[in-house]
mmCIF file of all heavy atoms in Angstrom:
data_model
loop_
_atom_site.group_PDB
_atom_site.id
_atom_site.type_symbol
_atom_site.label_atom_id
_atom_site.label_comp_id
_atom_site.label_asym_id
_atom_site.label_seq_id
_atom_site.Cartn_x
_atom_site.Cartn_y
_atom_site.Cartn_z
ATOM 1 N N MET A 1 98.985 91.052 120.724
ATOM 2 C CA MET A 1 99.226 91.760 119.480
ATOM 3 C C MET A 1 98.241 92.910 119.353
ATOM 4 O O MET A 1 97.055 92.734 119.525
ATOM 5 C CB MET A 1 99.045 90.810 118.286
ATOM 6 C CG MET A 1 100.327 90.272 117.753
ATOM 7 S SD MET A 1 100.291 89.470 116.139
ATOM 8 C CE MET A 1 98.923 88.378 116.167
ATOM 9 N N ALA A 2 98.764 94.077 119.008
ATOM 10 C CA ALA A 2 97.929 95.249 118.764
ATOM 11 C C ALA A 2 98.147 95.692 117.316
ATOM 12 O O ALA A 2 98.789 96.702 117.048
ATOM 13 C CB ALA A 2 98.287 96.369 119.738
ATOM 14 N N ILE A 3 97.640 94.908 116.374
ATOM 15 C CA ILE A 3 97.836 95.156 114.946
ATOM 16 C C ILE A 3 96.958 96.317 114.502
ATOM 17 O O ILE A 3 95.773 96.366 114.809
ATOM 18 C CB ILE A 3 97.488 93.896 114.132
ATOM 19 C CG1 ILE A 3 98.355 92.737 114.583
ATOM 20 C CG2 ILE A 3 97.536 94.173 112.650
ATOM 21 C CD1 ILE A 3 99.461 92.347 113.707
ATOM 22 N N LYS A 4 97.578 97.241 113.744
ATOM 23 C CA LYS A 4 96.857 98.420 113.266
ATOM 24 C C LYS A 4 97.322 98.728 111.843
ATOM 25 O O LYS A 4 98.506 98.647 111.540
ATOM 26 C CB LYS A 4 97.172 99.587 114.201
ATOM 27 C CG LYS A 4 96.524 100.894 113.848
ATOM 28 C CD LYS A 4 96.791 101.919 114.945
ATOM 29 C CE LYS A 4 97.747 102.964 114.409
ATOM 30 N NZ LYS A 4 98.017 104.053 115.320
ATOM 31 N N PHE A 5 96.378 99.088 110.978
ATOM 32 C CA PHE A 5 96.679 99.502 109.614
ATOM 33 C C PHE A 5 96.444 101.004 109.524
ATOM 34 O O PHE A 5 95.463 101.513 110.064
ATOM 35 C CB PHE A 5 95.753 98.784 108.620
ATOM 36 C CG PHE A 5 95.976 97.309 108.565
ATOM 37 C CD1 PHE A 5 95.335 96.470 109.465
ATOM 38 C CD2 PHE A 5 96.816 96.756 107.624
ATOM 39 C CE1 PHE A 5 95.540 95.105 109.427
ATOM 40 C CE2 PHE A 5 97.029 95.390 107.575
ATOM 41 C CZ PHE A 5 96.386 94.560 108.479
ATOM 42 N N ARG A 6 97.354 101.696 108.838
ATOM 43 C CA ARG A 6 97.207 103.139 108.676
ATOM 44 C C ARG A 6 97.989 103.586 107.447
ATOM 45 O O ARG A 6 98.814 102.842 106.909
ATOM 46 C CB ARG A 6 97.679 103.882 109.919
ATOM 47 C CG ARG A 6 99.144 103.692 110.219
ATOM 48 C CD ARG A 6 99.630 104.635 111.309
ATOM 49 N NE ARG A 6 100.992 104.347 111.693
ATOM 50 C CZ ARG A 6 102.077 104.698 111.009
ATOM 51 N NH1 ARG A 6 101.965 105.358 109.868
ATOM 52 N NH2 ARG A 6 103.288 104.390 111.445
ATOM 53 N N GLU A 7 97.728 104.816 107.046
ATOM 54 C CA GLU A 7 98.442 105.369 105.906
ATOM 55 C C GLU A 7 99.922 105.559 106.265
ATOM 56 O O GLU A 7 100.256 105.964 107.383
ATOM 57 C CB GLU A 7 97.819 106.701 105.487
ATOM 58 C CG GLU A 7 98.341 107.183 104.156
ATOM 59 C CD GLU A 7 97.534 108.316 103.556
ATOM 60 O OE1 GLU A 7 96.451 108.643 104.077
ATOM 61 O OE2 GLU A 7 98.005 108.881 102.554
ATOM 62 N N ALA A 8 100.789 105.249 105.314
ATOM 63 C CA ALA A 8 102.232 105.416 105.517
ATOM 64 C C ALA A 8 102.591 106.899 105.514
ATOM 65 O O ALA A 8 101.970 107.703 104.823
ATOM 66 C CB ALA A 8 103.003 104.698 104.412
ATOM 67 N N LYS A 9 103.594 107.245 106.293
ATOM 68 C CA LYS A 9 104.119 108.613 106.304
ATOM 69 C C LYS A 9 105.642 108.539 106.269
ATOM 70 O O LYS A 9 106.235 107.505 106.592
ATOM 71 C CB LYS A 9 103.604 109.387 107.519
ATOM 72 C CG LYS A 9 103.798 108.684 108.827
ATOM 73 C CD LYS A 9 103.041 109.373 109.957
ATOM 74 C CE LYS A 9 103.314 108.577 111.222
ATOM 75 N NZ LYS A 9 102.477 108.900 112.311
ATOM 76 N N ILE A 10 106.261 109.619 105.893
ATOM 77 C CA ILE A 10 107.709 109.602 105.707
ATOM 78 C C ILE A 10 108.448 109.279 107.003
ATOM 79 O O ILE A 10 109.545 108.717 106.969
ATOM 80 C CB ILE A 10 108.223 110.903 105.046
ATOM 81 C CG1 ILE A 10 109.648 110.702 104.520
ATOM 82 C CG2 ILE A 10 108.112 112.080 106.001
ATOM 83 C CD1 ILE A 10 109.828 109.570 103.530
ATOM 84 N N GLU A 11 107.855 109.571 108.136
ATOM 85 C CA GLU A 11 108.492 109.236 109.417
ATOM 86 C C GLU A 11 108.639 107.721 109.596
ATOM 87 O O GLU A 11 109.405 107.268 110.442
ATOM 88 C CB GLU A 11 107.682 109.816 110.581
ATOM 89 C CG GLU A 11 107.717 111.326 110.661
ATOM 90 C CD GLU A 11 106.758 112.026 109.692
ATOM 91 O OE1 GLU A 11 105.878 111.366 109.108
ATOM 92 O OE2 GLU A 11 106.905 113.245 109.515
ATOM 93 N N ASP A 12 107.937 106.943 108.791
ATOM 94 C CA ASP A 12 108.026 105.477 108.843
ATOM 95 C C ASP A 12 109.186 104.943 108.016
ATOM 96 O O ASP A 12 109.462 103.745 108.051
ATOM 97 C CB ASP A 12 106.735 104.839 108.298
ATOM 98 C CG ASP A 12 105.508 105.244 109.065
ATOM 99 O OD1 ASP A 12 105.584 105.348 110.303
ATOM 100 O OD2 ASP A 12 104.452 105.443 108.421
#
Side-chain angles (χ1 to χ4, degrees):
M1 261 194 313
I3 302 256
K4 179 173 110 176
F5 294 86
R6 63 170 174 78
E7 191 167 351
K9 51 191 180 193
I10 196 57
E11 291 80 13
D12 301 321

